[in-house]
Amino acid sequence: MPVIESTYKPPFWAKKSFVSTVFSGLARKVDGVEQTRERIILPDTDFLDLDWSYAQQKSNKIIILLHGLEGNAQRPYITGTAKHFNNNGIDAVAVNFRGCSGDPNLLFRSYHSGATEDLDAVVQHALSKGQYDEIYIKGISLGANMVLKYVGEGRELPTELKSVIAVSTPCDLKGSCGELLSLKNKHYAIRFLAHLKDKLKPKLEQFPNNISVADFDSIKTLIDFDHVYTSKAHGFKDAFDYYEKASCLQFLPNIKVPSLIINALNDSFLSAECYPVKEAKHNPNLFLEMPKYGGHVGFIGKGNVYYNEQRALDFVGNVKKC
């Protein structure tokens, strides 16, 4: 232990990874979440847009929500969690990573899987409200890797941070990228790359000294994008240097905050290295749950409350029960 035996049982029609992943990403709707936007300025003069939603009564507890690659704070996997936590007396603040809120960010850099400096800025901002003495963080996919890196890379964490949850976590970025580039995931990779390139295109005019049209035209795959843009814009040598340094896998043994990883065994985005059984067995603070089904963020549940959303609430409520 603590490798947890999962109790997740999907609807019969959602056992296939593709079905649960696509339904959850494109068809799921979450209503009734009122979000209020706040813009915070970061130390490097860029900004983050935060979307707040609140419990009915004033709360001293808050969950910070981190989206995945090319997501935002309005994605159902974010608003679903916000709604469930709000309904159970906990405020939520959903982070839009740089350039993901609908307004382009100001700098050549944007966001990436290991940008924990931005997460730390959000944590400190939440603390500055003077209201919250319990903070939880839940990350999805890219955001899941980020939060595990954040709690494992050795910074001094605030005592108010009580637990984190990571869902569909690409613990090894190189391995996960390899899976995304495989034939079975070609449709996903094409979609991700199109969104990333659309967002990068305006930076050609804004920052002509940083990236050329030839550089942009050379981007044919996700790994090309990380070679040409992600690595160069964020201080890495190349894509492989980025994958190596930003992957949370190496930081898992150092985690001292109760942390739950939920990675489905049929998640087509994850490589074998993304199931850190050894690390969980050797770290009493790391809880690993590997449901047989669920695809990538596709843990469909009853009443439009997803299994990972209920598990997150259970985990923050009483870690010992996990």
Side-chain angles (χ1 to χ4, degrees), residues 84-151:
H84 195 49
F85 272 68
N86 292 164
N87 288 343
N88 285 275
I90 300 172
D91 292 347
V93 58
V95 180
N96 296 278
F97 295 138
R98 302 190 194 209
C100 294
S101 68
D103 291 336
N105 69 302
L106 304 178
L107 304 181
F108 181 61
R109 67 155 295 176
S110 55
Y111 72 99
H112 65 84
S113 298
T116 52
E117 68 276 11
D118 286 357
L119 173 53
D120 190 55
V122 176
V123 172
Q124 298 305 323
H125 181 70
L127 286 171
S128 75
K129 300 284 186 180
Q131 178 179 339
Y132 302 110
D133 51 36
E134 289 190 26
I135 294 178
Y136 324 115
I137 308 173
K138 181 184 179 186
I140 300 292
S141 196
L142 179 149
N145 180 83
M146 183 187 293
V147 68
L148 292 174
K149 179 175 179 282
Y150 174 74
V151 294

Side-chain angles (χ1 to χ4, degrees), residues 209-225:
N209 294 329
N210 297 93
I211 186 170
S212 67
V213 173
D215 291 332
F216 182 85
D217 289 343
S218 72
I219 299 173
K220 307 298 183 185
T221 67
L222 288 171
I223 196 169
D224 291 340
F225 184 87

Side-chain angles (χ1 to χ4, degrees), residues 36-49:
T36 302
R37 177 157 293 184
E38 178 187 20
R39 177 164 294 185
I40 64 171
I41 305 303
L42 298 168
D44 63 5
T45 73
D46 212 344
F47 67 89
L48 287 177
D49 285 332

Side-chain angles (χ1 to χ4, degrees), residues 6-298:
S6 182
T7 61
Y8 176 56
K9 295 181 180 179
F12 73 92
W13 54 268
K15 289 186 176 181
K16 288 188 177 181
S17 175
F18 178 81
V19 174
S20 61
T21 301
V22 172
F23 175 87
S24 300
L26 299 181
R28 185 189 185 192
K29 306 295 181 186
V30 176
D31 299 319
V33 181
E34 292 188 18
Q35 292 179 318
T36 302
R37 177 157 293 184
E38 178 187 20
R39 177 164 294 185
I40 64 171
I41 305 303
L42 298 168
D44 63 5
T45 73
D46 212 344
F47 67 89
L48 287 177
D49 285 332
L50 311 179
D51 290 324
W52 294 78
S53 61
Y54 300 97
Q56 190 169 4
Q57 303 295 327
K58 186 175 181 179
S59 178
N60 67 333
K61 302 175 182 180
I62 187 171
I63 186 164
I64 298 170
L65 302 175
L66 309 175
H67 62 75
L69 182 66
E70 286 305 280
N72 57 46
Q74 284 68 55
R75 291 297 167 90
Y77 59 73
I78 295 293
T79 55
T81 300
K83 182 177 182 178
H84 195 49
F85 272 68
N86 292 164
N87 288 343
N88 285 275
I90 300 172
D91 292 347
V93 58
V95 180
N96 296 278
F97 295 138
R98 302 190 194 209
C100 294
S101 68
D103 291 336
N105 69 302
L106 304 178
L107 304 181
F108 181 61
R109 67 155 295 176
S110 55
Y111 72 99
H112 65 84
S113 298
T116 52
E117 68 276 11
D118 286 357
L119 173 53
D120 190 55
V122 176
V123 172
Q124 298 305 323
H125 181 70
L127 286 171
S128 75
K129 300 284 186 180
Q131 178 179 339
Y132 302 110
D133 51 36
E134 289 190 26
I135 294 178
Y136 324 115
I137 308 173
K138 181 184 179 186
I140 300 292
S141 196
L142 179 149
N145 180 83
M146 183 187 293
V147 68
L148 292 174
K149 179 175 179 282
Y150 174 74
V151 294
E153 61 188 354
R155 64 167 39 83
E156 184 176 350
L157 297 169
T159 57
E160 291 87 351
L161 180 58
K162 302 302 182 183
S163 57
V164 307
I165 304 96
V167 179
S168 300
T169 316
C171 299
D172 181 81
L173 296 175
K174 182 179 178 182
S176 186
C177 185
E179 293 299 316
L180 270 174
L181 292 176
S182 65
L183 184 60
K184 64 183 177 182
N185 287 317
K186 184 177 180 180
H187 46 288
Y188 298 121
I190 291 172
R191 184 181 177 90
F192 280 133
L193 185 61
H195 283 291
L196 288 165
K197 291 187 73 174
D198 282 346
K199 195 173 288 183
L200 179 58
K201 191 175 294 184
K203 293 186 184 291
L204 293 175
E205 292 186 12
Q206 288 178 280
F207 304 98
N209 294 329
N210 297 93
I211 186 170
S212 67
V213 173
D215 291 332
F216 182 85
D217 289 343
S218 72
I219 299 173
K220 307 298 183 185
T221 67
L222 288 171
I223 196 169
D224 291 340
F225 184 87
D226 290 335
H227 272 310
V228 170
Y229 174 68
T230 309
S231 60
K232 301 300 187 293
H234 301 97
F236 302 100
K237 295 177 184 176
D238 54 25
F240 299 117
D241 186 50
Y242 159 54
Y243 299 152
E244 179 182 350
K245 291 178 178 174
S247 293
C248 72
L249 185 62
Q250 63 199 300
F251 301 105
L252 299 183
N254 306 324
I255 290 177
K256 296 179 174 61
V257 175
S259 302
L260 172 65
I261 300 174
I262 304 176
N263 280 2
L265 292 173
N266 72 338
D267 188 333
S268 67
F269 291 18
L270 303 184
S271 65
E273 297 82 5
C274 296
Y275 300 91
V277 174
K278 179 183 70 174
E279 288 78 5
K281 286 183 175 179
H282 287 88
N283 186 343
N285 296 303
L286 188 63
F287 298 79
L288 175 62
E289 181 174 345
M290 298 177 289
K292 184 177 180 181
Y293 305 106
H296 196 71
V297 203

